[in-house]
Amino acid sequence: MADRGVSPKNNNTVDLGSSSKKWRKLYAVRVDEGTYIPGAFNHKETFTTSGSFVAPVTGTYRITLQGGGGGGGGAGTSSSNHNSGGGGGGGGRAQFYETLTADESYSYIIGAGGAGGSAGSDSSGGEKGSDGGDSTITIASHAYIATGGKGGGGSPTFGRGGYGGSVTKDGVSLASSIFPGCPGGNASTGKYLSGGAGGIGSPYNGVPGYYGGGGAGGHIGNATYNAGSAGGDGYITFEWYNPGQA
């Protein structure tokens, strides 16, 4: 595979121009293998709903894909045991590099966070939280999927936390640059107890909250049974270098 751009190891023979432009021209070496030089990208856009992205320039893009978080389970009663709900699992997240072509449109689907499970009562169990949705994009016949986290268990399953999501490329788990979603916390038995914590999603600067995080399980108050919280929606981020813009 040919190197793309100028390597810091061999730039002594290359006219890089002014010192302020050096990092712009020191583009990532072998970016398809995951190498990234900080400062190589000068533009970034993030989307939290399904749609399409029109590439402004032809080049290598760094793409981050986050699945939706699972919803938390509802609190309730099962076999005389009062159980809070289990937390939903966080969605899986992938970061990868692909070459996009200027003016071409690339469609993507953003997985929604799963709904929280409904609450039970002194005589009924809480419901399981819904699973988070998968986030997907296909580029040059390569299908990337960041799966959603699983919903947290309601009281009939003793509030077991949902499993975190995973990431695949063309149906095969990615070997690098993947961030499986954290599992949700298990709930406890007894009154006046908090629900299981939701699995942590991916913190993303500039986006409110933690997208892709699992919802917290419903807690039990004084004879009060609460529903689980919804999981966070997924997102997709495109980063690229545009030589014509600062």
Side-chain angles (χ1 to χ4, degrees):
M1 179 185 299
D3 287 351
R4 300 185 182 183
V6 180
S7 167
K9 296 181 180 179
N10 62 12
N11 63 21
N12 292 332
T13 60
V14 178
D15 180 9
L16 295 175
S18 66
S19 59
S20 64
K21 296 181 179 179
K22 285 187 177 181
W23 273 112
R24 293 185 183 181
K25 293 188 178 182
L26 290 178
Y27 201 71
V29 179
R30 294 188 182 277
V31 289
D32 293 314
E33 296 179 2
T35 302
Y36 170 64
I37 298 174
F41 301 116
N42 60 358
H43 286 75
K44 176 168 62 178
E45 286 194 39
T46 298
F47 303 93
T48 57
T49 57
S50 300
S52 59
F53 174 76
V54 178
V57 296
T58 297
T60 299
Y61 288 66
R62 183 168 69 166
I63 301 171
T64 304
L65 186 65
Q66 170 74 53
T77 303
S78 176
S79 301
S80 299
N81 291 320
H82 306 283
N83 299 312
S84 56
R93 178 168 64 103
Q95 192 171 86
F96 52 92
Y97 297 81
E98 281 284 0
T99 298
L100 305 187
T101 303
D103 300 324
E104 283 196 14
S105 180
Y106 300 86
S107 298
Y108 53 84
I109 295 174
I110 300 301
S118 59
S121 66
D122 275 329
S123 58
S124 65
E127 297 295 325
K128 175 184 179 294
S130 299
D131 296 342
D134 298 345
S135 294
T136 66
I137 187 171
T138 300
I139 302 173
S141 299
H142 295 307
Y144 293 90
I145 301 176
T147 65
K150 297 298 183 181
S155 58
T157 57
F158 302 102
R160 185 170 291 112
Y163 292 107
S166 60
V167 180
T168 62
K169 175 183 178 181
D170 300 332
V172 179
S173 178
L174 288 178
S176 61
S177 298
I178 63 172
F179 306 88
C182 295
N186 292 333
S188 301
T189 298
K191 292 192 175 182
Y192 305 101
L193 293 175
S194 299
I200 298 173
S202 168
Y204 185 82
N205 294 332
V207 177
Y210 284 79
Y211 276 75
H219 69 278
I220 303 175
N222 183 13
T224 300
Y225 298 82
N226 293 276
S229 299
D233 296 337
Y235 66 82
I236 189 169
T237 296
F238 297 87
E239 297 175 85
W240 69 95
Y241 175 72
N242 188 335
Q245 298 179 3

